[in-house]
Amino acid sequence: MLILFNKPYGVLPQFTDSDGRPTLADYVPVPGVYAAGRLDRDSEGLLLLTDDGALQHRIADPAQKMSKAYWVQVEGEPDEAALAALRNGVELRDGLTLPAKAVRIEAPPNLWPREPPIRVRRAIPTAWLLLTLSEGRNRQVRRMTAAVGHPTLRLIRYRIGSWTLDGLAPGEWREQP
């Protein structure tokens, strides 16, 4: 079984929480499935759930290099040098990242409002990037954009491998045949 879930902002990517915060159990009433990979509480978007251990490993294991694409709203307007740095790999505390695909895009179509909204500062513009990675370090997208001078304001995972968010509103899920 494979479930595609559009994880809302503020939801933990697990089924239980001793502090009473929103979890996957509040949205996906399917027993025996587990998240294949992570998506931070303050990130949104595609999370895959499965009951197949081999599939879970293939999706989540960094050695498999399954690409993941993110819509990233950043502070400021990245110039070509910042995009080139993302494309070439960024030096982080845990080493150089693999090269990423990084392009400026318009705000994604049919984008839902985030609750709570991102902070907006009148004097500082924002921009959207489509960032595609083939590795999955902890909070990697946020650390990469900060390293090139453009902190992440909103992060939405759009695609994992060939699976996308298309047709899923926040909190919605569907089983993949």
Side-chain angles (χ1 to χ4, degrees):
M1 174 184 298
L2 179 65
I3 292 174
L4 282 61
F5 175 57
N6 187 349
K7 187 188 89 57
Y9 177 87
V11 174
L12 290 172
Q14 57 201 41
F15 280 91
T16 61
D17 179 57
S18 59
D19 295 329
R21 296 172 293 186
T23 68
L24 298 176
D26 297 314
Y27 295 91
V28 183
V30 179
V33 295
Y34 300 92
R38 303 281 298 173
L39 190 59
D40 296 331
R41 183 174 157 223
D42 53 354
S43 299
E44 308 164 69
L46 186 61
L47 186 63
L48 301 178
L49 305 152
T50 183
D51 60 354
D52 181 334
L55 178 59
Q56 182 179 27
H57 177 75
R58 198 172 85 234
I59 293 167
D61 182 14
Q64 301 294 319
K65 299 195 180 343
M66 184 174 284
S67 71
K68 297 169 180 75
Y70 299 85
W71 293 328
V72 189
Q73 187 178 21
V74 296
E75 191 172 88
E77 297 183 17
D79 58 14
E80 189 53 41
L83 295 174
L86 294 169
R87 291 179 191 130
N88 292 325
V90 176
E91 186 67 43
L92 302 175
R93 276 179 266 150
D94 56 351
L96 185 67
T97 66
L98 291 176
K101 293 180 184 171
V103 294
R104 286 216 29 194
I105 61 171
E106 295 298 318
N110 304 316
L111 187 62
W112 57 88
R114 194 188 87 174
E115 288 302 324
I118 64 160
R119 72 182 191 284
V120 175
R121 296 189 284 180
R122 287 183 156 166
I124 300 176
T126 67
W128 283 93
L129 303 177
L130 175 61
L131 195 59
T132 305
L133 308 178
S134 60
E135 64 180 338
R137 299 183 195 186
N138 187 30
R139 299 182 71 81
Q140 182 174 349
V141 170
R142 293 176 189 282
R143 295 190 298 143
M144 288 176 72
T145 62
V148 299
H150 297 280
T152 295
L153 300 172
R154 188 171 181 192
L155 179 59
I156 302 165
R157 184 161 54 201
Y158 170 70
R159 181 182 56 76
I160 300 172
S162 61
W163 300 288
T164 71
L165 269 182
D166 294 339
L168 289 174
E172 288 185 349
W173 63 275
R174 72 172 171 266
E175 188 172 345
Q176 195 68 17

